[in-house]
Amino acid sequence: MILSELQTGEKAVIVRVNGHGSFRKRLIEMGFITGKEVRVVLNAPLKDPIEYEIIGYKISLRREEARQIEVVTEQEAREALVSDEHLQALPGDLADKERLDKALAHVAEERHHNIRVALVGNPNCGKTSLFNIASGSHEHVGNYSGVTVDAKEGHFKYKDYEITLVDLPGTYSLSAYSPEELYVRKNLLDAMPDVVVNVVDASNIERNLYLTTQLIDMNLRVVMALNMYDELQHKGDKLDTKQLGYLLGMPVCPTVSRDGQGIPELFDTVLKIYEQSDPYLARHIHINHGTELEKSIKRLQTVLYGNEDIRSQYSTRYLAIKYLETDKDVERVLADIPELKALQQARAEEETRIRELLDTSAESAIVDAKYAFIQGALAETYEKYQEDRPRRTLTDKIDAVVTNQWAAFPIFVLLLWFIFWATFTIGQYPMDWIDAAVAWIGEKVGALMADGWVKDLIVDGVIAGVGSVLVFLPNIMILYFFISIMEDSGYMARAAFIVDKLMHRIGLHGKSFIPMVMGFGCNVPAIMATRSIESRKSRLVTIAIIPFMSCAGRLPIFVLFAGAFFPSSPATALLGIYLLGIVLAILSALILSKFVKDDDLPFVMELPPYRVPTAKATWRHTWEKGKQYLEKMATTILLFSVAIWLLGYFPRHEEATTAYQQEHSYIGMLGKAIEPVNEPLGFNWKMDVGLLAGIGAKELVISTMGVMYAQDGKEYEGLESEEDTQLQAALKSTVPTAAALAFMVFVLLYFPCIATFVAIKSETHSWWWAILLALYTILVAWLCAFATFRIGLLIWPV
């Protein structure tokens, strides 16, 4: 509960005091300290301010100020006496008042030991690695920017403290240029963590410290985690971390999040800052922006300081700096304050004065001043190792090859081909084992059960439906294994670098390529990853074309059809399908970019050094995707398989053949109803039903066809290649090759899935955009599949 909610006469114990800088300091100096008892004496006639009694004297606070103080009430203490085992063990001879006082103190202490710590840092600084190793969470860590696209929370216990660790998206600054920057800023200002851990890449410290200077402006309690410190030492550089911490006003803790070095010391320091147990560990400083800028900041700050509501929620110095920079988000925050006209006039006059004196805008002057401060601090603390000649690093040598003008694209295409070859070749063996195991289980279960609809449901609905999807688990895991290596090694950032010119020509940004490649895994996180693209135009167009990137859910369908109909070159067929998706995405971008307003921003992206992916991290990422696939099979796919079987089993035609029964069942009626639409593509009604099921999730295409072709598979088993699964055997005997290829094209391009559709709506904040994209993908899919089928008939006549 918060202090402002207490009624007259009620008492409570203070848990923590929130708020910013001098406002928070003033409350603490007035006696509002953690663990102290406070009582409401009375409310003013207009309910504001409120008079409180604390440590023997009375003091009044405005309700807005009291909202910043968290307390534990007597009612909460009484509830704890009933439910808390520790309090139930209190001696029975204690008086009720003494028992209640002990309960109040115990609950306040317990709440005080629950702290919220936010991780803030540049992309690729090792922030998420630190989050994983500290909290035990398994978030995806990639060696390129934009992996964390939302805040992730982890919970762990450390020295009697329950710590909620929040991994905020990586950002280079706290400006208002991208959704991620705004998200981080709002989290720091509104959710207000107890302590901020500023994760800084020790190998690129000057650039990382710009974000640190903005955190200093916000007047938060900050601890710096100087991460990847081993790389700084390996280069022979020297850094006086104690002196740097003194200059920045915050403790600096060297860490290596890859193996956990320095993590315990980091959280020891976090607790000291939280408890303010060491007054010499941190001090509040102001970045000196120079005499003239400081005059302007002070003038705006004076205007803002007169507003009690603003002063209690924000650092007025931070708001003054941002308002002087013409920050749009801060302008919205201050849009309704009574002092707005005075603030606008002050800014206009100060902007004119700064431009006349410094011959530059106030925003540029502030950025320059911050970098001057950083350079001054590093000049006193950082000593770079001087070499006789510039050393050519391993990263330089690798980049000379993989980003070479002539070799870059062939290497990328060959790498994709190798991944698909490995997906087929290596995955074929466990795929055959799982298929044989599913068939054996189906036979054994069928032999143990009496004939009837329950047996058919279990064997043809559950085992055949789920088993037809389970077969492709090895292929999924192999694909994710290679994608994980590309991400963790740093190659993915190079892929974005080499295609930036092409991206720019089609109206996109170089950063658009990373979400596109992520789409090969899953379209949903890929669409969320577009938040790292500053340009609104590029972000919207990238969202629109990501569904053309073949996700892992489509992979089993392609493996099934490519293995059955193109057994001599399945990897090439799969590469062709993926490249078709890329080509159509490019063409779509060219079209769509004509209809979205251009606000293109320059391509600025970090190229991190290459790092060897750890076996533990690679396996963890691969297994987590495999586990998600298994979870989907145990839920969505199982339910849909049973539903498809039931629709195919009823209404019953007892004496009819299996084919007649399916064709005249509910599912057959549905398939027959839409068959005329897709008949020009060479599809039969069973394929059409599979496509309908795929709207829910692409894996359902396989499970649906597995159920409908269950009897056909047994009938045709042994007539085809021994390497074919039962479903592949049935398809080869009933579907023309041209129609099979057209089906692969249609699956690649049509409506992605419900989850992706919702993600598009969420990220664009528009149902119309999501609906139009869904209709667009269906139209493109039909036209391309039609062309594929007609051309295919010339090569593979029926």
Side-chain angles (χ1 to χ4, degrees), residues 345-366:
Q345 182 180 348
R347 182 176 65 178
E349 291 173 359
E350 293 304 316
E351 282 179 335
T352 303
R353 190 178 67 85
I354 292 296
R355 187 169 291 281
E356 290 175 352
L357 287 172
L358 305 181
D359 195 28
T360 187
S361 67
E363 182 179 8
S364 297
I366 290 171

Side-chain angles (χ1 to χ4, degrees), residues 431-575:
M431 180 177 164
D432 291 340
W433 301 334
I434 295 173
D435 184 55
V438 169
W440 180 82
I441 291 171
E443 290 175 7
K444 294 299 179 183
V445 171
L448 292 173
M449 297 181 71
D451 289 342
W453 72 270
V454 175
K455 172 184 174 180
D456 293 341
L457 170 63
I458 299 298
V459 175
D460 295 336
V462 175
I463 297 176
V466 176
S468 60
V469 179
L470 180 63
V471 164
F472 300 100
L473 176 63
N475 307 92
I476 295 289
M477 295 188 71
I478 290 169
L479 177 66
Y480 270 112
F481 171 78
F482 284 109
I483 289 178
S484 177
I485 288 177
M486 289 173 67
E487 292 174 342
D488 294 353
S489 65
Y491 178 76
M492 196 74 85
R494 271 70 185 181
F497 172 73
I498 64 178
V499 301
D500 176 60
K501 190 171 183 178
L502 174 62
M503 293 287 104
H504 187 72
R505 284 182 176 175
I506 63 174
L508 292 178
H509 195 282
K511 285 186 179 180
S512 300
F513 188 70
I514 288 177
M516 288 171 67
V517 175
M518 288 178 69
F520 290 152
C522 179
N523 287 170
V524 175
I527 286 169
M528 294 173 68
T530 59
R531 296 177 191 174
S532 64
I533 303 171
E534 294 87 353
S535 165
R536 176 182 173 274
K537 173 186 175 181
S538 291
R539 188 162 61 250
L540 288 175
V541 176
T542 304
I543 287 171
I545 65 176
I546 280 174
F548 290 131
M549 301 295 104
S550 180
C551 66
R554 297 178 176 108
L555 181 63
I557 306 168
F558 299 148
V559 170
L560 174 79
F561 278 82
F565 292 93
F566 309 101
S568 60
S569 54
T572 304
L574 193 56
L575 177 62

